[in-house]
Amino acid sequence: ECEEGDMDALTAVSGSGPAYCFYLAEAMIEAGINLGLPPNDAAKMTAATLKGAMVLLESQSLSAEELRRKVTSPGGTTEAAIKVLDDHSVKQIIIQAVAAAAQRSKELSG
Protein backbone atom coordinates (compact mmCIF):
# COMPACT_ATOMS: atom_id res chain seq x y z
CA GLU A 1 0.00 0.00 0.00
CA CYS A 2 1.12 3.54 -0.66
CA GLU A 3 -0.12 7.08 -0.54
CA GLU A 4 -1.72 8.43 -3.71
CA GLY A 5 0.92 11.17 -3.86
CA ASP A 6 3.72 8.59 -3.95
CA MET A 7 2.46 6.75 -7.02
CA ASP A 8 4.67 8.51 -9.58
CA ALA A 9 7.80 7.95 -7.49
CA LEU A 10 6.86 4.31 -6.86
CA THR A 11 6.24 3.80 -10.57
CA ALA A 12 9.62 5.36 -11.41
CA VAL A 13 11.57 3.36 -8.82
CA SER A 14 9.74 0.06 -8.58
CA GLY A 15 7.62 -0.18 -11.72
CA SER A 16 10.46 0.74 -14.04
CA GLY A 17 13.16 -0.65 -11.73
CA PRO A 18 13.40 -4.13 -13.26
CA ALA A 19 14.31 -2.54 -16.61
CA TYR A 20 17.13 -0.61 -14.93
CA CYS A 21 18.48 -3.86 -13.49
CA PHE A 22 18.21 -5.60 -16.87
CA TYR A 23 20.01 -2.64 -18.48
CA LEU A 24 22.88 -3.02 -16.01
CA ALA A 25 22.92 -6.76 -16.66
CA GLU A 26 23.06 -6.14 -20.43
CA ALA A 27 26.12 -3.96 -19.96
CA MET A 28 27.85 -6.40 -17.62
CA ILE A 29 27.18 -9.31 -19.98
CA GLU A 30 28.46 -7.33 -22.97
CA ALA A 31 31.58 -6.34 -21.03
CA GLY A 32 32.23 -9.97 -20.09
CA ILE A 33 31.86 -11.04 -23.71
CA ASN A 34 34.17 -8.23 -24.82
CA LEU A 35 36.72 -9.52 -22.31
CA GLY A 36 36.56 -12.99 -23.84
CA LEU A 37 33.94 -14.84 -21.80
CA PRO A 38 31.52 -17.09 -23.66
CA PRO A 39 28.10 -15.33 -23.82
CA ASN A 40 26.33 -18.00 -21.75
CA ASP A 41 28.99 -17.82 -19.03
CA ALA A 42 28.89 -14.01 -18.99
CA ALA A 43 25.10 -14.13 -18.61
CA LYS A 44 25.14 -16.75 -15.85
CA MET A 45 27.87 -14.95 -13.88
CA THR A 46 26.09 -11.64 -14.21
CA ALA A 47 22.77 -13.06 -13.03
CA ALA A 48 24.41 -14.82 -10.07
CA THR A 49 26.34 -11.68 -9.14
CA LEU A 50 23.28 -9.43 -9.21
CA LYS A 51 21.20 -11.98 -7.33
CA GLY A 52 23.87 -12.35 -4.63
CA ALA A 53 24.25 -8.60 -4.28
CA MET A 54 20.48 -8.15 -3.85
CA VAL A 55 20.32 -10.93 -1.26
CA LEU A 56 22.98 -9.06 0.71
CA LEU A 57 21.13 -5.77 0.34
CA GLU A 58 17.91 -7.37 1.62
CA SER A 59 19.49 -9.34 4.44
CA GLN A 60 21.96 -6.83 5.87
CA SER A 61 21.15 -3.80 7.97
CA LEU A 62 23.63 -1.78 5.89
CA SER A 63 22.76 0.72 3.18
CA ALA A 64 23.62 0.07 -0.45
CA GLU A 65 26.39 2.68 -0.15
CA GLU A 66 27.85 0.96 2.92
CA LEU A 67 27.78 -2.43 1.22
CA ARG A 68 29.47 -0.98 -1.87
CA ARG A 69 32.18 0.57 0.26
CA LYS A 70 32.76 -2.73 2.08
CA VAL A 71 33.44 -4.55 -1.21
CA THR A 72 35.57 -1.79 -2.72
CA SER A 73 39.19 -2.36 -1.72
CA PRO A 74 41.38 0.76 -1.84
CA GLY A 75 43.54 0.60 -4.94
CA GLY A 76 41.75 -2.52 -6.18
CA THR A 77 39.82 -3.54 -9.25
CA THR A 78 36.43 -2.45 -7.96
CA GLU A 79 37.75 0.97 -7.02
CA ALA A 80 39.09 1.36 -10.58
CA ALA A 81 35.64 0.56 -11.98
CA ILE A 82 33.80 2.85 -9.55
CA LYS A 83 36.17 5.69 -10.46
CA VAL A 84 35.17 5.35 -14.12
CA LEU A 85 31.47 5.36 -13.14
CA ASP A 86 31.97 8.42 -10.93
CA ASP A 87 34.05 10.21 -13.59
CA HIS A 88 31.10 9.82 -15.95
CA SER A 89 28.49 10.84 -13.34
CA VAL A 90 26.64 7.54 -13.71
CA LYS A 91 24.90 7.89 -10.33
CA GLN A 92 23.58 11.34 -11.28
CA ILE A 93 22.44 10.05 -14.66
CA ILE A 94 20.50 7.23 -13.00
CA ILE A 95 18.90 9.72 -10.59
CA GLN A 96 17.91 11.88 -13.57
CA ALA A 97 16.54 8.86 -15.43
CA VAL A 98 14.35 7.84 -12.49
CA ALA A 99 13.14 11.44 -12.19
CA ALA A 100 12.25 11.37 -15.91
CA ALA A 101 10.24 8.19 -15.36
CA ALA A 102 8.39 9.86 -12.46
CA GLN A 103 7.67 12.92 -14.59
CA ARG A 104 6.33 10.73 -17.39
CA SER A 105 4.17 8.82 -14.92
CA LYS A 106 2.74 12.15 -13.75
CA GLU A 107 2.03 13.18 -17.35
CA LEU A 108 0.34 9.87 -18.16
CA SER A 109 -1.87 10.00 -15.06
CA GLY A 110 -2.88 13.61 -15.48
Side-chain angles (χ1 to χ4, degrees):
E1 292 184 32
C2 70
E3 298 293 323
E4 180 82 23
D6 293 337
M7 283 302 297
D8 297 322
L10 288 169
T11 296
V13 173
S14 187
S16 298
Y20 313 148
C21 294
F22 298 144
Y23 192 83
L24 174 61
E26 284 178 63
M28 291 174 65
I29 292 165
E30 187 174 326
I33 293 167
N34 290 346
L35 291 169
L37 293 174
N40 193 46
D41 290 349
K44 284 182 180 180
M45 282 188 266
T46 296
T49 298
L50 293 174
K51 181 179 179 181
M54 293 307 99
V55 167
L56 278 176
L57 184 60
E58 278 189 331
S59 67
Q60 301 292 311
S61 60
L62 301 172
S63 69
E65 180 181 3
E66 290 170 314
L67 287 168
R68 178 187 50 80
R69 288 183 190 278
K70 285 177 94 51
V71 299
T72 305
S73 301
T77 58
T78 306
E79 185 179 69
I82 296 296
K83 182 180 182 332
V84 171
L85 295 172
D86 285 346
D87 287 349
H88 289 86
S89 303
V90 171
K91 185 186 287 188
Q92 284 306 108
I93 291 168
I94 293 169
I95 292 167
Q96 291 172 14
V98 175
Q103 179 60 39
R104 185 63 181 142
S105 176
K106 185 178 288 191
E107 293 166 1
L108 290 172
S109 67

